[in-house]
């Protein structure tokens, strides 16, 4: 099988960065239709946080050379030919996505309540405490959205709020930001976050633009299954 | 300040895992991590965030007695 890391323009992947992929595997690139994909060959392996980090580091290294479309970790393909076929079938969308992220990076915001309530451990024993906590979390989340997230969206060319947030975080959002405005984004985020004392706001990045490269899943699904829209 | 640096690094790790597992281009709609694999990664993620939470809680109430 192969493990695929990213799709980019051919010039971005030539030469490949001098580093190894997952489990020390050699990085390879394949090109088709004015696109390139970076991958490595593997026997099957189990996922682990370390491998996810290795996936990320390869993408970051290539991202220094040009715009990249990071692939979701866990995409397993049998052969390089599958990548070539994918790039051929989705060429227009992939090229459009590359243009969308060119010169831009993803920044992240993660908001965590500052004080942990003592009732958390007893949540099953007290439905009322549980509900109160839910209400409080919702209130904090809405406030952070209004006072931190919304002003930040004005500094970004695109943004997305996560629909599922890993607890204890109550809000997570991503922003597509011009690479040369990362510092001013950080400064603004720090200032806004300081205004909401009940939460700790973490601003991270620059990341590869994971949250802004989704292709039209509907057309992909319908193309694969033969169903219209 | 040093607490913030540690917390930042751990949060950054969570950010990577969240993004690489939950976003990004899906080739052929085929993401074949087994459920057990995904659970494992998300468990690590929860532990990480919990440790960040404990760090943030420093100076406030003690949050973990284990």
């Amino acid at each position: 099988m192969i493990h695929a890391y990213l799709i980019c323009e051919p010039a971005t992947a030539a030469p490949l960065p001098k580093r190894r992929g997952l489990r020390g595997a050699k990085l390879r690139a394949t090109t088709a239709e004015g696109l390139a994909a970076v991958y490595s060959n593997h026997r099957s392996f189990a996922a682990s946080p370390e491998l996810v980090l290795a996936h990320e580091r390869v993408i970051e290294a290539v991202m220094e050379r040009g715009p990249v479309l990071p692939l979701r970790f866990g995409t397993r393909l049998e052969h390089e030919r599958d990548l070539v076929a994918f790039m051929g079938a989705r060429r227009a969308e992939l090229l459009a996505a590359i243009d969308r992220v060119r010169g831009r990076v993803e920044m992240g915001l993660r908001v965590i309540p500052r004080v942990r309530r003592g009732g958390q451990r007893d949540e099953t024993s007290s439905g009322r405490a549980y509900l109160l906590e839910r209400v409080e979390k919702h209130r904090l989340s809405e406030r952070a959205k209004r006072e931190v997230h919304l002003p930040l969206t004005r500094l970004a060319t695109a943004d997305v709020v996560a629909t599922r947030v890993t607890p204890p975080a109550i809000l997570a959002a991503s922003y597509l930001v011009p690479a040369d405005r990362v510092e001013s984004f950080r400064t603004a985020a720090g200032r806004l976050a300081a205004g909401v004392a009940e939460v700790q706001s973490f601003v991270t990045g620059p990341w590869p633009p994971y949250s802004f490269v989704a292709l039209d899943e509907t057309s992909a699904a319908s193309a694969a299954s033969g169903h219209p829209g | 300040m040093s607490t913030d640096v540690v917390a930042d690094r751990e949060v950054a790790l969570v950010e990577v895992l969240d993004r690489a597992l939950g976003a990004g281009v899906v080739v052929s709609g085929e993401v074949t991590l087994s459920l057990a694999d995904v659970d494992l990664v998300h468990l690590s993620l929860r532990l990480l965030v919990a440790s960040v939470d404990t760090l943030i809680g420093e100076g406030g109430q003690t949050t973990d007695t284990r």
Side-chain angles (χ1 to χ4, degrees):
Chain A
M1 60 169 278
I2 65 169
H3 175 88
Y5 300 86
L6 62 95
I7 290 172
C8 60
E9 291 168 322
T12 308
L16 282 168
K18 287 188 182 14
R19 64 156 50 237
R20 292 275 167 174
L22 266 53
R23 298 156 69 90
K26 179 178 164 56
L27 290 183
R28 298 163 192 275
T30 184
T31 59
E33 310 268 349
L35 290 163
V38 176
Y39 69 97
S40 50
N41 291 318
H42 296 273
R43 289 166 182 237
S44 125
F45 55 79
S48 71
E50 289 70 31
L51 292 184
V52 180
L53 281 180
H55 176 81
E56 162 73 12
R57 290 198 192 102
V58 168
I59 297 169
E60 284 183 5
V62 179
M63 184 179 144
E64 287 176 12
R65 297 152 188 245
V68 299
L69 304 180
L71 299 187
R72 187 173 302 189
F73 183 93
T75 305
R76 198 189 103 167
L77 299 166
E78 286 309 315
H79 198 273
E80 172 202 337
R81 282 192 302 267
D82 298 333
L83 278 174
V84 171
F86 176 73
M87 290 190 286
R90 310 297 293 273
R91 179 173 186 274
E93 286 167 86
L94 291 166
L95 288 173
I98 288 175
D99 276 340
R100 200 158 60 232
V101 302
R102 190 185 304 279
R104 294 171 175 154
V105 295
E106 178 168 334
M107 298 297 286
L109 170 72
R110 188 170 296 265
V111 178
I112 300 176
R114 216 175 258 281
V115 181
R116 219 153 123 166
R117 278 151 297 280
Q120 190 154 337
R121 274 163 198 278
D122 306 323
E123 62 186 33
T124 51
S125 68
S126 167
R128 182 178 151 76
Y130 173 71
L131 281 179
L132 284 176
E133 188 178 312
R134 287 276 301 264
V135 169
E136 173 65 2
K137 276 186 181 164
H138 181 73
R139 185 188 72 80
L140 276 179
S141 162
E142 288 302 308
R143 184 167 170 216
K145 216 177 274 177
R146 203 168 52 236
E147 297 180 24
V148 184
H149 165 69
L150 275 181
L152 286 179
T153 63
R154 291 181 207 121
L155 305 176
T157 53
D159 64 275
V160 56
V161 174
T163 49
R164 288 178 58 222
V165 187
T166 307
I170 52 169
L171 174 67
S174 300
Y175 309 85
L176 192 62
V177 177
D180 59 1
R181 287 196 220 146
V182 165
E183 277 317 309
S184 53
F185 183 89
R186 274 207 197 100
T187 307
R191 195 186 62 239
L192 293 163
V196 189
E198 296 154 290
V199 299
Q200 179 89 330
S201 299
F202 295 93
V203 178
T204 59
W207 302 112
Y210 285 101
S211 307
F212 301 97
V213 296
L215 305 182
D216 185 349
E217 308 274 348
T218 322
S219 73
S222 58
S225 65
H227 292 302
Chain B
M1 274 327 263
S2 62
T3 298
D4 280 350
V5 172
V6 174
D8 279 353
R9 200 166 61 221
E10 310 239 302
V11 167
L13 193 51
V14 172
E15 295 282 319
V16 170
L17 296 179
D18 247 9
R19 285 190 164 75
L21 294 169
V25 173
V26 178
V27 178
S28 311
E30 188 185 9
V31 172
T32 56
L33 278 183
S34 74
L35 277 181
D37 283 347
V38 172
D39 282 350
L40 190 72
V41 174
H42 277 279
L43 178 66
S44 323
L45 203 132
R46 271 172 172 270
L47 290 175
L48 259 171
V49 183
S51 71
V52 171
D53 198 42
T54 307
L55 284 173
I56 293 165
E58 273 178 16
Q61 62 196 102
T62 305
T63 55
D64 198 335
T65 53
R66 271 181 302 174

